[in-house]
Amino acid sequence: MALRRILVKDKIDQFIRIRLIKRLNKFDEIYLRMAALKTISTTKHLIFKPKIHLFSPFIQLNGMSQYPHYYIEPICRKEDQKELEKTGEISKYAHLPTKAAFSDHTCSSKHDPLVSLFTNYVMKSGKKSLARDLLEKTFEKVKRIQLERFHKTKNEEDKNNIELNPKVIFYKAVENSKPLLQLTGIKRGGVKYQVPVPITDKRSQFISMKWLIEAAKEKDRTVKFADQLAKELIDAANNSGRVIKKKQDLHKQCEANRAYAHYRWS
Amino acid sequence: MLKSTVDLLTRTSNFKKISCKRLSTVAQLKSNEKLDGFRTVQEDPLKHNSEHLAQFYTLSTSEKNCLFQHGGLPKSFEIQTKTFNETSFMIREPAIEIINYLKAIDYSKPPVKFVLFGKKGTGKTLSLAHILHYAVRDNFLIVHVPWVGNWMRRPKEFSNSDIKEGFVDINIDAAAWLLHFKVQNAVLLQKPEMRLLEAVQWNSRESTAKDVPLVDLIDHGINRIKFASRCVNILAEQVKGLSKIGVCKTLVAVDGFNAFFYPNIKVYTDKKEKVTPGKVTVTEGFLNLTKFDWHNSAIVVTVDELVIAQEDQISHYPRYLLGKTGFEHLDPFVPVHVTNYTKKELISTLDYYRERRWITSYPGQDDELYSLSAGNPYNLMKLCNGL
């Protein structure tokens, strides 16, 4: 690629070079795989001896993104920016092309990445403010339920055991409802077998959140979503309730189908 | 209608049963005294002064049940009190100002009128609640309307008046208010001097004689719901008469007073014709109470945007909300502006929330919430809900 040569020739700033090397390394891997090359060279080697000419230069490097691949991610949090200022690194970022920040990026300490992810899962047809409202109401309800329990208990020790922070309960609930395995259908001899396969952490987190939302939607017409979700969260945080039951059922099914496990690779 | 009558009656009997029991729980609450900066142990509003500003004080359960059993506190605040396991008011500038005036007023002169005004959610109703607590401790007879909007915007029932042509009764609401009045003034009404000053002829068969206790008049209004609206007006006249002869001193407290002058209300005649608030029977009684032609009394009213239709909520100032007639009816009055929280009050509130374990703190919380809520108490409460 022409860009690479220019970069190396001009001996630009060390920092940019490191960034680019990392980035190019990633893309080279893609090319290498595409060409079915068996050896993967070192980074330096790649930069000085690019074998790019073999491949089409029109391959898109950035997926569906509207930004060219050399755009860097924005740094939104005030604290991070200040730290960069302190170390002086900020001058290196000054003239790099940067992607625009997302509209929900914020430097507030209230912001929580997992909660904002969950908000997106709750959201329907782009109504984000509604989803956010629902989640806020859920947390409110969680607090009310827990505080009521708190005031009811007379024993000092039991009181301290009651968790009153809704975010902690939320984290616990998501963590507790994560499945360890999942089932996929694999066709062997015309029959589809449900084969237990390992699951990535991200996928299992998604399933756990999906289950929580599904459980909250299974309710009477008169019960509000936020109220039901609050109950489910508290139950899941205490390792009980419908979502945990669902997880255990899946585990049982995986255990029962373990004879099919070898279909994964044979 | 019969159903709601039964409902009303059961509520009365319930109150009679539990009132004594609840008095006994006061001691328990007081044992847990806290002396933090945001809290004061001075629970007597008679002794509240500007030193206590931005501090919280706790209302005892018995007094809360006496004053606010049938409304008077905003619904969102009621929910908070249930969660926090106590009813606490913040001592704020407007309430203290009016309480100081009430202490200094010469009650032999015509009543002084105070108008609480301010933007939505700044705490007008809660300031009024604090003043009411003061009044009940200072042995005022309280004529308190929790929310006029409930009568004008969503009445339970309405029917044409039998006595006055063209007028509309809202009898169930009126009966509920009579009950509210009876509960709030339960102690004062037992005084032997609280008597009817003139006989009342309800119809050809029913009448209430002169010199019977005032409670009988109220009970008649509650039991014969048909006469409830008229009973309210008669009661207003009687309260004025009793104050004039010095039997009691009266505090008239009306929340959402501007509803009496807002034309677009949802009360209809039997022919489904819209009426103006002036044609609702109870309006007459409360306009009568806010006139200057009596003494031994004080008048505190709030004007509120929320009491009128949403499309007309343009300004929060009394001149706009009351309109020309309303303004002239109240004029001259002392306007008291209820403002947003100051920084000190906001921090005090957040400290209170933290102490009640409602919110968990994080660095920079106070500043962030101050700028997000712009110091508005209601907004602050909403923001803290999700934390």
Side-chain angles (χ1 to χ4, degrees), chain A residues 107-110 136 139-140 143-144 147-148 150-151 159-160 164-167, chain B residues 79-80 83-85 356-360 362-363 368 372 383-387:
Chain A
C107 59
S108 163
S109 324
K110 281 202 305 188
E136 266 172 25
F139 287 154
E140 181 190 341
K143 280 199 288 182
R144 289 202 197 281
L147 262 177
E148 199 181 337
F150 179 84
H151 287 304
K159 271 190 178 184
N160 291 335
L164 294 170
N165 190 347
K167 291 232 170 96
Chain B
I79 297 169
Q80 294 288 65
T83 311
F84 295 164
N85 216 10
R356 289 280 103 193
R357 296 176 184 246
W358 183 236
I359 53 175
T360 35
Y362 56 81
E368 188 177 305
L372 278 177
L383 282 169
C384 288
N385 281 346
L387 286 183

Side-chain angles (χ1 to χ4, degrees), chain B residues 18-30:
Chain B
I18 43 191
S19 62
C20 303
K21 217 196 264 174
R22 282 194 176 149
L23 283 169
S24 62
T25 57
V26 185
Q28 265 186 359
L29 278 172
K30 277 193 179 173

